[in-house]
């Protein structure tokens, strides 16, 4: 229990930063929905952001979490600050050179990339995507360096700044939409939004840099790939990049397949993914990010301590993710309408995005738990197992996604094709396969893992009862009530009832949350 409070505090700082970032992201999404709806222009913006995002995810936070943070954190723990600074500077030099070269290639060969990854885009959709991609590729290199800064800050247990930095990226995009929306036609507004994203990338990296310099003044950016710590980072990065690569291929596969559907399919996937990723970021990433430096420091210690940290993190994740799953499935239409239904985004779009979200939600609990399993493997210096399992997940999600998309392509609800729903359902199923394989591979090292069947049953029971009450409230609301106000009336009782029932069912997590809330109110 002595470890619980530091773990909770670290995860809270990560969650607080991510929460503010994600709230800014939700505002960004509402602005995009208002000006572009689920149209050709929304498809282009999603696709153009996703293409350079491949490089960011390939070299950024996920890879650095697997390769750089464990090495850097261990050097700090051993008191080898001078060597840690040299490793950090040399890794920055490597990332700067690699990101710069790939960004240049991506900018020059944008038409080829669009033709490869978005085969179904033709005419105006293709030309606009190429133009926006050329603007956004330099942003990618900057965000890779931002991920390096995050690794430094997390290793020093400074979580809040690195996870709140993306607020500035979102704010720049929102500002571009608000300043130029209504003044420019949709094509030119799209390009202005891309320039806003580039400016936001500069802001996101710039706000972290002073904190990095303050925490580690020994950092000297020098080209030194032969340094032992750097060689270890590069050696661990190979499998991590492969793992991230196959995951990114999976994301591209969804867009590639959706590009053959009617206009708006790519946008519907993007809108649903924003909500799907929210609990993964808030609860999966926050706990995993807070745990990784601690797991890395303890990897040579007792196996019992490692197992306890993982199981404690899994239960902490589940307590918040279970109501997210049930809320999205039972009340998802209320949530989607409150966030997106405005301007060019209508009620028909709300239904489609809700159904896509429900499909993704099938794998939400598995996806969040997988984040922590990956951190455990990274702490054990095993980056190959997550990469192999991720590759299998991609193959399964792609094959199943294509089959379900074709099966549902001609099925319509309110005139909208359900093809994108097939893709999201396949993603949810594949997430559980990945979860099961990672858990089975990790248990020989750490022993029995999990949040506990009894605890999970009580969480699901509380969430189902609370969601049922929320649906009943929504049934009696007048149709003329604004979507945002309707969501407030429904979701606040849902959240309160879930916590109350969790407390009645004897879940310690509920008591901890209420205790911390009471303590802060008392202050």
């Amino acid at each position: 229990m002595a470890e619980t409070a530091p773990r909770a505090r670290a995860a809270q700082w990560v969650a607080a930063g991510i929460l503010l970032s994600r709230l800014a992201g939700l505002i960004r999404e509402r602005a995009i929905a208002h000006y572009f709806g689920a149209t050709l222009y929304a498809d282009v913006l999603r696709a153009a952001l996703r293409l350079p995002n491949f490089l960011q995810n390939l070299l950024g936070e996920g890879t650095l979490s697997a390769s750089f943070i464990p090495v850097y954190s261990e050097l700090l723990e051993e008191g080898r600050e001078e060597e840690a600074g040299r490793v950090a500077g040399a890794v920055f030099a490597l990332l700067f050179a690699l990101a710069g070269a790939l960004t240049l290639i991506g900018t020059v060969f944008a038409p080829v990339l669009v033709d490869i990854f978005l085969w179904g885009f033709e005419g105006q959709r293709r030309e606009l995507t190429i133009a926006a991609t050329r603007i956004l590729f330099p942003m990618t290199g900057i965000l890779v360096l931002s991920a390096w800064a995050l690794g430094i800050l997390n290793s020093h247990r400074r979580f809040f700044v690195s996870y709140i930095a993306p607020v500035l990226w979102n704010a720049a995009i929102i500002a571009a939409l608000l300043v130029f929306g209504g003044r420019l036609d949709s094509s030119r507004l799209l390009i202005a939004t891309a320039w806003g994203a580039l400016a936001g990338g500069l802001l996101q990296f710039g706000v972290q840099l002073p904190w990095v310099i303050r925490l580690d003044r020994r950092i000297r950016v020098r080209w030194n790939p032969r340094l032992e710590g750097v060689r270890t980072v590069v050696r661990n990065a190979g499998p991590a990049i492969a793992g991230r690569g196959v995951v990114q291929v999976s994301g591209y596969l969804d867009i590639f397949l959706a590009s053959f559907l009617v206009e708006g399919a790519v946008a519907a996937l993007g809108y649903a993914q924003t909500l799907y990723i929210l609990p993964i970021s808030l609860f999966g990433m926050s706990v995993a990010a807070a745990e990784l430096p601690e797991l890395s420091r303890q990897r040579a210690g007792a196996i019992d301590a490692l197992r306890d940290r993982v199981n404690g993190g899994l239960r902490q994740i589940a307590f918040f993710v279970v109501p997210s799953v049930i809320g999205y499935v039972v009340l998802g239409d209320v949530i989607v309408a409150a966030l997106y239904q405005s301007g060019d985004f209508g009620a028909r779009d709300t239904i489609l995005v809700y159904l896509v979200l429900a499909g993704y939600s099938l794998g939400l609990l598995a996806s969040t738990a997988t984040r922590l399993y990956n951190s455990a493997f990274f702490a054990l210096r095993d980056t190959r197992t997550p990469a192999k399992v991720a590759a299998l997940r991609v193959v399964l999600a792609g094959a199943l996604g294509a089959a379900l998309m074709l099966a549902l392509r001609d099925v319509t609800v309110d005139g909208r094709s359900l093809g994108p729903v097939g893709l999201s359902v396949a993603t949810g199923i594949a997430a559980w396969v990945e979860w099961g394989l990672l858990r089975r591979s990790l248990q020989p090292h750490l022993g029995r893992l999990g949040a506990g069947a009894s605890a999970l049953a009580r969480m699901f029971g509380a969430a189902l009862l609370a969601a049922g009450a929320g649906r009943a409230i929504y049934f009696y609301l007048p149709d003329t009530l604004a979507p945002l106000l309707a969501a407030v009336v429904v979701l606040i009782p849902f959240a309160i009832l879930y916590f109350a029932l969790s407390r009645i069912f004897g879940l310690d997590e509920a008591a901890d949350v209420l205790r911390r809330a009471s303590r802060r109110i008392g202050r």
Side-chain angles (χ1 to χ4, degrees), residues 246-263:
V246 294
V247 171
Q248 292 307 303
V249 168
S250 177
Y252 271 120
L253 193 57
D254 280 354
I255 291 181
F256 176 80
L257 292 171
S259 71
F260 291 97
L261 296 172
V262 296
E263 291 180 3

Side-chain angles (χ1 to χ4, degrees), residues 52 103-104 107 132-143 198 202:
T103 296
L104 179 62
T107 303
T133 298
R134 281 178 163 153
I135 298 170
L136 291 170
F137 249 103
M139 174 201 74
T140 303
I142 297 167
L143 292 180
L198 175 58
L202 288 167

